[in-house]
Amino acid sequence: MKFMKLGSRPDTFYTTEAVRSVSSEISSDLIVQVKGSRYMLHKFPLLSKCLRLQRLCSEFHESAQPQIVQLPDFPGGVEAFELCAKFCYGITITLSAFNIVSARCAAEYLQMTEDVEKGNLIYKLEVFFNSCILHGWKDSIVTLQSTKSFPLWSEDLGITSRCIEAIASRVLSHPSKVNLSHSYSRRGRDDLSSCNGTESLRHRPVSKGWWAEDIAELGIDLYWRTIIAIKSGGKVPSNLIGDALKIYASRWLPNISKDGTIMKQAASDPDSDSIGEITSKHRFLLESIVSLLPAEKGAVSCSFLLKLLKAANILKASSSSKMELARRVGIQLEEATVNDLLIPSLSYTNDTLYDLDIVMIILEQFMLQGQSPPTTPPRVKGSFEKRRSRSAENVDFGFQESRRSSSASHSSKLRVAKLVDGYLQEIARDVNLPLSKMIALAEAVPDFARLDHDDLYRAIDIYLKAHPDLSKSERKRLCRILDCKKLSVEACMHAAQNELLPLRVVVQVLFFEQARAAMAGGQVTELPNNIKALLATHNVDPSRPPAPLSTTTTVAGEDQWSISGLKSPKSSLSTLRMKLAEDDDLEENDIHPDGIGRSSKLKALCSIPTRPKRMLSKLWSINRSASEKN
């Protein structure tokens, strides 16, 4: 770091009985009191350079007793005053980035200007500041940090703004043009050199974001202004700005990502003075970071955004900050993980473990992204069909780009569907999770985005186990979001023996699985017409596996719980539909008049998967008999 020495006389200040004096053959004729400290000095050297002291002493009449001058609001305290006093006596003083701000404020207070004496202290400090301090990276940062002790003085004198401009200009320049000593954030010991000489610098390889750790030592007010200055330059990529913000957040909000329970305890007792003060500072810091986030997508990771959102919940940040974070998370939700979405709920209005409302807002924001382009490119009509113009080629190129964008949007929806199903499995264990929230989150994902429903089925199964007191109608409502055609063989086998599922769901699972098994086994070459009609009503192609099937056509509420679509009154499968209606009545009345309970019927039904071929053979034989009678 750079420094400057002024004066040549040795230090002759000494302390006697709490009074600072200077060795001299001339007796003291001026007493200066600075914030409780007393200085026995001489008028001539001080008044010749300090206009304020001249004016204060002129108010007194000549007296044999030393004049007493009080400076209660002196900026910088006794250290800064003594430095100015030594300069007046010609005693050697050393100026550097650590004390130049206090010295400059003190000199301004004493009015040590050129009007009083040429080459006065203010002039020398300005020369050193402009020619040395602002040209050094670490010097600028240290000086800027020291301005927080004198915010008003530093602003009025332009010290703060000039330091920020100097730091921003270094960041905006190419790294090869910046000479660095040890990184400031690593607090290495720098070599000192004279201002007139060449600064001793060590060149080391630096990355594009070399500056982020160094300026992370600044307080939030100065940091905010510095980042704004860097962003306004327009030369630093948004991802580097994002990395810098991440470094700063981890530096000043360490508990957000490492120990959330500590922050929860702080938030639970906001009345405590110390905890409340810390929480308030962290809240302001967090909201400032949110305001600095680059607008470009991907400038910061989705994981970092969600960590900030968790911190916003814990620190009770403003709703505008939380909504802004939710909007940004929604734009790049496909990058998130399940753990990222588990945002603790600290609301006193509900008892759920996690904040479901903010996740719902995130999903809504995600679904607003990536509108699908037209399915076919615009056709060129008239004479343009024979001769393709450059504009027509541009139209086709634009269409190809939009198609690629649409594919990316579609693939992101597939990833988000997987993410949501995994999230549902985690929150389903919460005994206080309302059924309506569970269904709403599941339905927030478009149907086409779920290529299979295995993960959704696991979430439903977990929810049913964690909420054994659900009524039959509530279990039906929950299972309506499940598409049995999209279940794998393993999921179907589990569902067929799951006594927590409504009976109609079990029958649907069995039916579609038996149909697939029959076609895959090669036992029959073609399904009967009545079964084909049944599958057609559900948009099922039995020759294909269930995962890729489209489910763009939704089934009405009660219809999806029954096997519908059979139009032939003579079909034996219509009897099965009537049987399901009877079983539905059994669900409303736990015990049938004949004394058979639902559990025993379900167990009997669950034994069907062990005889799939026999079951279908019986159905087909009944169908053939009905056809022969006709």
Side-chain angles (χ1 to χ4, degrees):
M1 291 180 63
K2 299 177 182 179
F3 67 93
M4 178 177 69
K5 288 187 176 182
L6 297 176
S8 58
R9 293 180 58 188
D11 190 357
T12 55
F13 273 69
Y14 65 95
T15 304
T16 302
E17 297 180 355
V19 176
R20 293 284 287 171
S21 304
V22 60
S23 298
S24 176
E25 296 178 356
I26 304 173
S27 61
S28 175
D29 56 357
L30 179 64
I31 299 175
V32 181
Q33 292 183 343
V34 180
K35 293 185 177 181
S37 297
R38 174 172 291 194
Y39 284 85
M40 302 289 292
L41 303 173
H42 304 85
K43 289 183 179 180
F44 175 74
L46 269 69
L47 271 58
S48 63
K49 292 182 172 59
C50 303
L51 182 59
R52 178 181 285 266
L53 293 180
Q54 288 182 20
R55 292 173 177 173
L56 291 174
C57 291
S58 64
E59 299 174 359
F60 296 95
H61 298 289
E62 290 295 333
S63 173
Q65 298 296 325
Q67 293 186 3
I68 300 176
V69 176
Q70 295 189 7
L71 306 175
D73 55 346
F74 193 88
V78 294
E79 294 83 2
F81 174 78
E82 188 165 322
L83 187 144
C84 293
K86 288 180 179 180
F87 172 79
C88 295
Y89 279 95
I91 297 173
T92 302
I93 59 174
T94 302
L95 296 168
S96 68
F98 292 101
N99 63 359
I100 189 172
V101 175
S102 61
R104 179 65 180 86
C105 296
E108 187 70 21
Y109 181 89
L110 294 173
Q111 299 177 4
M112 303 175 71
T113 63
E114 293 296 288
D115 296 335
V116 182
E117 183 178 86
K118 294 296 182 180
N120 212 341
L121 183 57
I122 289 179
Y123 171 77
K124 294 183 180 297
L125 290 175
E126 284 293 326
V127 171
F128 175 63
F129 181 73
N130 292 322
S131 62
C132 295
I133 296 295
L134 296 182
H135 286 267
W137 171 251
K138 182 176 179 180
D139 300 89
S140 299
I141 293 178
V142 172
T143 303
L144 181 60
Q145 272 193 306
S146 63
T147 61
K148 64 184 178 182
S149 300
F150 318 96
L152 298 180
W153 283 94
S154 299
E155 289 292 345
D156 293 339
L157 297 175
I159 299 175
T160 305
S161 58
R162 284 184 285 173
C163 286
I164 291 175
E165 291 174 2
I167 293 171
S169 65
R170 296 295 181 277
V171 174
L172 295 173
S173 63
H174 193 275
S176 61
K177 298 180 181 179
V178 180
N179 293 325
L180 298 177
S181 54
H182 293 287
S183 175
Y184 175 55
S185 61
R186 294 174 179 83
R187 299 186 182 277
R189 178 175 297 178
D190 298 298
D191 296 328
L192 298 179
S193 62
S194 172
C195 179
N196 295 328
T198 302
E199 184 180 16
S200 176
L201 300 168
R202 293 185 182 181
H203 299 274
R204 59 183 175 88
V206 289
S207 63
K208 293 181 179 180
W210 55 267
W211 48 271
E213 291 186 2
D214 290 2
I215 67 171
E217 297 295 323
L218 296 173
I220 184 58
D221 292 331
L222 297 175
Y223 182 83
W224 191 90
R225 294 174 61 180
T226 304
I227 292 294
I228 291 295
I230 294 172
K231 291 174 68 175
S232 63
K235 295 181 180 180
V236 178
S238 59
N239 64 308
L240 293 184
I241 298 292
D243 291 342
L245 293 175
K246 185 176 181 180
I247 291 172
Y248 191 80
S250 62
R251 167 68 177 85
W252 294 102
L253 295 173
N255 291 332
I256 296 304
S257 58
K258 296 180 180 179
D259 193 357
T261 57
I262 296 178
M263 297 306 300
K264 285 184 181 179
Q265 294 172 2
S268 64
D269 189 14
D271 296 332
S272 174
D273 294 337
S274 58
I275 293 179
E277 183 180 357
I278 293 174
T279 302
S280 178
K281 291 180 179 179
H282 285 170
R283 185 188 304 117
F284 176 74
L285 190 147
L286 177 68
E287 293 173 352
S288 300
I289 292 176
V290 173
S291 68
L292 290 173
L293 290 173
E296 293 81 3
K297 177 182 178 181
V300 293
S301 66
C302 187
S303 175
F304 174 61
L305 290 172
L306 283 165
K307 286 180 180 179
L308 291 180
L309 191 53
K310 290 179 182 179
N313 255 18
I314 293 172
L315 297 172
K316 301 186 184 301
S318 64
S319 58
S320 59
S321 295
K322 289 195 284 188
M323 290 303 102
E324 174 64 13
L325 287 171
R327 184 188 69 82
R328 290 176 178 271
V329 171
I331 294 176
Q332 49 195 94
L333 183 58
E334 67 273 13
E335 304 172 10
T337 64
V338 173
N339 287 334
D340 291 335
L341 285 179
L342 297 177
I343 303 173
S345 174
L346 300 177
S347 174
Y348 297 103
T349 59
N350 61 74
D351 297 327
T352 56
L353 294 176
Y354 304 108
D355 192 334
L356 308 179
D357 295 331
I358 197 69
V359 174
M360 195 67 190
I361 294 174
I362 291 173
L363 287 173
E364 291 172 355
Q365 292 294 327
F366 171 77
M367 296 309 300
L368 292 176
Q369 309 300 318
Q371 299 297 326
S372 298
T375 55
T376 57
R379 298 175 63 91
V380 183
K381 297 182 180 181
S383 60
F384 292 96
E385 292 182 352
K386 297 181 180 179
R387 182 177 180 180
R388 293 177 59 84
S389 65
R390 184 177 299 274
S391 60
E393 294 176 358
N394 291 338
V395 169
D396 287 347
F397 176 77
F399 169 73
Q400 294 172 3
E401 290 296 318
S402 65
R403 287 295 297 270
R404 281 194 286 269
S405 175
S406 176
S407 298
S409 177
H410 179 76
S411 62
S412 66
K413 287 184 173 66
L414 299 183
R415 289 193 294 270
V416 169
K418 278 291 199 183
L419 173 67
V420 171
D421 289 347
Y423 177 74
L424 289 173
Q425 294 177 37
E426 290 295 328
I427 66 173
R429 296 178 173 87
D430 185 2
V431 295
N432 295 318
L433 176 63
L435 177 63
S436 58
K437 293 288 183 68
M438 179 78 176
I439 295 174
L441 285 169
E443 292 178 341
V445 178
D447 191 51
F448 72 85
R450 287 190 175 98
L451 298 183
D452 65 75
H453 276 214
D454 285 13
D455 291 335
L456 182 60
Y457 168 71
R458 292 188 188 96
I460 292 175
D461 182 54
I462 293 172
Y463 188 85
L464 292 174
K465 290 177 180 177
H467 302 78
D469 296 332
L470 287 178
S471 65
K472 295 179 176 60
S473 61
E474 289 174 331
R475 284 188 280 120
K476 282 186 177 183
R477 282 179 56 201
L478 176 62
C479 292
R480 284 194 182 110
I481 62 179
L482 186 66
D483 189 347
C484 300
K485 302 184 296 295
K486 290 189 175 183
L487 293 178
S488 65
V489 176
E490 293 78 6
C492 286
M493 292 178 62
H494 187 279
Q497 304 179 55
N498 193 343
E499 296 190 8
L500 298 175
L501 295 176
L503 182 59
R504 291 186 176 228
V505 178
V506 176
V507 173
Q508 279 191 337
V509 170
L510 289 172
F511 179 83
F512 291 116
E513 182 58 26
Q514 299 297 348
R516 282 203 305 266
M519 292 299 296
Q523 297 278 333
V524 292
T525 58
E526 188 176 358
L527 290 175
N529 292 333
N530 55 355
I531 297 183
K532 284 183 177 181
L534 177 61
L535 296 178
T537 60
H538 292 274
N539 297 326
V540 178
D541 184 355
S543 64
R544 292 185 177 183
L549 292 177
S550 174
T551 58
T552 54
T553 303
T554 58
V555 185
E558 289 297 325
D559 289 341
Q560 68 178 5
W561 296 107
S562 63
I563 301 179
S564 59
L566 301 180
K567 298 182 179 180
S568 174
K570 297 180 181 180
S571 172
S572 61
L573 291 182
S574 63
T575 305
L576 178 59
R577 184 173 59 183
M578 295 173 61
K579 183 63 178 175
L580 290 177
E582 295 175 2
D583 290 337
D584 187 46
D585 293 336
L586 283 180
E587 293 182 6
E588 300 300 330
N589 303 283
D590 291 339
I591 303 299
H592 193 270
D594 61 7
I596 301 177
R598 178 183 182 273
S599 60
S600 61
K601 288 178 76 72
L602 187 59
K603 289 179 181 178
L605 188 60
C606 291
S607 64
I608 294 178
T610 60
R611 304 186 299 275
K613 298 179 182 178
R614 180 178 176 183
M615 173 185 174
L616 288 177
S617 299
K618 184 175 181 180
L619 289 175
W620 295 332
S621 63
I622 294 176
N623 180 67
R624 287 196 296 270
S625 299
S627 301
E628 292 174 358
K629 290 180 181 181
N630 292 336

